[in-house]
Amino acid sequence: MRIKQLIKKADIIIVAVILLIAVIFIIPVNNTGNITAEITVDGIPVQSIKLNEIKEAYTLDLGNGMMISAEKNGISVISSDCYGKNCISCGRLSEAGDTAVCIPNKTVIRLTGEKKNAPDAVTY
């Protein structure tokens, strides 16, 4: 009986609206415009891939011990014969400004294009 007096219909509506607004801001906006992956080996451009135009995922052998997977709105290094494998640890690149570098294989994958108007990180 006492709980019904504490929680009113208006309170439930206010909490629901606040939760809806929170969910809208938490869900990431997939704003992938014209993102292009530029792959260079030893400073020489090897391939330029428009990620938003890819219909089906495929792998690309760079011929220097590296295999790259390109898919709709993302690219990643899937294998490399280098020692540290830091290029594989970069994960999936999907936003303008993302970069994966393999120093032993002299390979750079850089994404260029429209950048989101959001911060990279927030510190509290």
Side-chain angles (χ1 to χ4, degrees), residues 18-113:
I18 291 172
L19 287 174
L20 181 64
I21 291 171
V23 167
I24 289 172
F25 283 109
I26 290 173
I27 296 175
V29 178
N30 191 4
N31 187 13
T32 53
N34 296 322
I35 304 291
T36 303
E38 297 174 354
I39 304 169
T40 59
V41 177
D42 202 15
I44 301 168
V46 174
Q47 184 111 14
S48 181
I49 304 168
K50 292 195 180 284
L51 297 179
N52 60 331
E53 295 178 358
I54 295 175
K55 302 288 185 219
E56 190 173 317
Y58 65 93
T59 58
L60 178 66
D61 186 2
L62 296 180
N64 62 351
M66 292 183 71
M67 294 284 289
I68 295 176
S69 172
E71 56 190 30
K72 180 90 172 156
N73 298 326
I75 191 166
S76 58
V77 179
I78 55 175
S79 71
S80 178
D81 63 356
C82 63
Y83 173 72
K85 310 259 190 258
N86 292 332
C87 49
I88 297 173
S89 299
C90 290
R92 184 175 182 264
L93 309 176
S94 60
E95 295 182 16
D98 287 351
T99 305
V101 178
C102 183
I103 294 174
N105 289 324
K106 301 177 185 176
T107 303
V108 177
I109 302 170
R110 180 178 296 123
L111 299 190
T112 59

Side-chain angles (χ1 to χ4, degrees), residues 11-21:
D11 295 333
I12 295 173
I13 292 172
I14 291 172
V15 169
V17 168
I18 291 172
L19 287 174
L20 181 64
I21 291 171

